[in-house]
Every structure is written in C-alpha cells, then in structure tokens.
Amino acid sequence: RKSVVRITTGSQALDELLGGGIETLCITEAFGEFRSGKTQLAHTLCVSTQLPIDMHGGNGKVAYIDTEGTFRPERIVPIAERFGMDANAVLDNIIYARAYTYEHQYNLLLGLAAKMAEEPFRLLIVDSVIALFRVDFSGRGELAERQQKLAQMLSRLTKIAEEFNVAVYITNQVIADPGGGMFITDPKKPAGGHVLAHAATIRLMLRKGKGEQRVCKIFDAPNLPEGEAVFQVTSGGIMD
Ligand code: ADP
Ligand code: MG
C-alpha cells in the first residue's frame, strides 16, 4: 500500500490549512481570479517537491504541463536558492511540456505515465487544466462533449496520482456562468461543473489580499476543516 506524501507549499500557514501540504495520491485544484497566485504556487511546488522528505519535500521529480504559456524557468532560480538548492539541478528535474490543444494535453499524459514508470516523480502540474477545453469546445451545443472529454482527462490524472504516488496540482478558472445558461448564478464559481468537482479531492479557492498577500480558502475537501490561510507571493516563491 502506497503511503501519502505531503509536499510543503512554502507557507507554514497554508501547509497547516492543508494538513501538512499538497498530498500525493489525489488531485488538488486551485481556482481563483487572474493573479491570485495559482501559477506562483505551481512554481514553488516545482522546487519544494524536490526537497528531501525530512524537509517536507517529496524527494522526487516534477512534470509540468503548461496550457497557458506562463511557466518561467527563471522564476525557479530564486525559489531554489531560497530553499538552499542548486537551481540547475532543480531545473533538470522538471519535465516541461507546453500543450496547445486538449488532445495534445491528453497525449502528453500518456507519455508522462511511461516516464513515471521509470523515474521517481512526486508531482504533476497542469496549469490550467481547463483553458484548452474552453477554447476547443467553445461552440454552442459542445458543452456535453467537452465535459465528457474533460472527465476522461481527469480520470487519467487520478490514475497517475494513484499509480505513481504523485501529487496532481491543477489550476482552474473562475467563471460567471457555470451552466452555460442565461443567468449569472455565482461570479466566483470554478469552471468545469460537476465533472471537475467530482474529480478534484481538494479544492482551494485563491484570492488577492492586500499587496502581495493572497488568501487560500478550503472550498471542498472531505478530510479538512473549513478555514483560510494568508500567504505571500515573493521572489522566493510562496511564503508566510
Ligand atoms: P494566477 O496564475 O492565479 O493568474 P500568478 O500565480 O501568475 O496568478 O500570480 C501573479 C502574481 O504573482 C503577480 O501579480 C505578482 O503579484 C506575483 N509575482 C509574480 N512574480 C513575482 C516575483 N518575482 N516577486 C514577487 N511577486 C511576484
Ligand atoms: Mg496562472
């Protein structure tokens, strides 16, 4: 039986909210407005995952699927230095791929599974999990097909998490009208509807606070108490 590994976010407050950090064996979703820190958290996890277990890391490699073109290798450098790690070694252990269509995104996952069978990975990032679906299925009447393909993708992610004891961190957008209907029901709803709600074990809502402050709220998580944590986005990544 595989045992859960918890990977530090870089913020003690956020780690405590999460019961120790981002967990392997399941999907953690972060959604929130533009600039709420979803991608910066992804960058920090790229580094912290490589820390030894006794430093709250995962002692493993990272796979990063980027659908929005927002990964910045130069951001990894100060984050690695902040954790006292060699930046080049850290960058070498991040397998990066840019996806341009939802099919491309899916096929990348198949290739990654083969890689994970050979090397010790502890984190898979998909930033963002839904952007390409919203582009590729933007037409009227395409929602049902989109949701079906999205479900397929998410089930593949769950399988990877469980098979390789990997933490899957996905980011999601907020939308005004989740149902595609006529009425704005909740401007802070995550995209992806019930399909995403079902697949993501831990759902985090991020929002901006004062200055560099960000707030993370547990939106849905079966084993975590409700609560919020305040953290900062800095040059060295996520911090208290
Ligand atoms: P999201 O992915 O949720 O849209 P990001 O994770 O890209 O948001 O967060 C962007 C924010 O992160 C910026 O607005 C800025 O406040 C902060 N940020 C990015 N890089 C740095 C840095 N080098 N130093 C400090 N803050 C930064
Ligand atoms: Mg982003």
Side-chain angles (χ1 to χ4, degrees):
R1 190 122 200 106
K2 300 179 181 90
S3 54
V4 176
V5 177
R6 289 184 180 82
I7 299 162
T8 181
T9 61
S11 155
Q12 212 176 318
L14 187 50
D15 285 354
E16 277 167 22
L17 182 74
L18 298 174
I22 301 280
E23 290 186 12
T24 61
L25 296 168
C26 72
I27 298 179
T28 300
E29 170 201 358
F31 68 89
E33 62 197 289
F34 180 58
R35 292 189 146 183
S36 59
K38 306 179 293 291
T39 299
Q40 291 303 312
L41 178 53
H43 281 73
T44 306
L45 291 169
C46 277
V47 179
S48 64
T49 297
Q50 301 186 43
L51 287 167
I53 300 282
D54 62 8
M55 291 177 73
H56 309 291
N59 194 30
K61 298 187 184 213
V62 177
Y64 198 118
I65 297 180
D66 184 2
T67 71
E68 297 181 327
T70 51
F71 179 72
R72 294 288 175 277
E74 62 271 22
R75 285 290 296 119
I76 297 300
V77 177
I79 301 173
E81 284 165 359
R82 171 255 178 124
F83 283 105
M85 302 172 85
D86 178 72
N88 286 322
V90 168
L91 280 166
D92 281 347
N93 285 325
I94 302 169
I95 310 302
Y96 171 85
R98 175 85 162 90
Y100 293 95
T101 66
Y102 84 91
E103 283 160 311
H104 187 194
Q105 188 177 335
Y106 188 79
N107 290 335
L108 284 169
L109 292 180
L110 302 181
L112 272 176
K115 243 187 157 51
M116 287 180 180
E118 287 165 8
E119 296 167 51
F121 280 79
R122 216 39 93 222
L123 175 68
L124 167 58
I125 291 164
V126 188
D127 182 23
S128 100
V129 80
I130 200 153
L132 295 174
F133 287 87
R134 299 188 72 203
V135 174
D136 296 342
F137 299 96
S138 59
R140 285 177 73 87
E142 288 188 297
L143 189 64
E145 192 189 351
R146 184 194 90 173
Q147 290 302 88
Q148 191 208 331
K149 299 289 186 193
L150 181 64
Q152 241 172 49
M153 169 99 46
L154 291 164
S155 112
R156 175 62 50 184
L157 289 174
T158 301
K159 193 154 180 271
I160 287 175
E162 292 174 357
E163 188 170 351
F164 302 110
N165 196 7
V166 156
V168 175
Y169 173 75
I170 62 177
T171 67
N172 186 14
Q173 301 163 329
V174 284
I175 51 164
D177 182 2
M182 293 168 68
F183 305 106
I184 294 174
T185 51
D186 180 354
K188 281 206 174 72
K189 268 255 159 51
H194 73 273
V195 166
L196 196 37
H198 176 74
T201 305
I202 297 162
R203 311 193 83 192
L204 306 174
M205 186 164 79
L206 269 48
R207 68 172 192 269
K208 284 186 271 190
K210 281 187 197 136
E212 300 311 304
Q213 280 192 347
R214 299 292 184 274
V215 184
C216 175
K217 182 181 164 54
I218 303 282
F219 183 76
D220 187 23
N223 300 314
L224 295 174
E226 283 186 31
E228 289 191 346
V230 178
F231 61 92
Q232 320 257 352
V233 183
T234 75
S235 160
I238 301 300
M239 283 187 198
D240 280 308

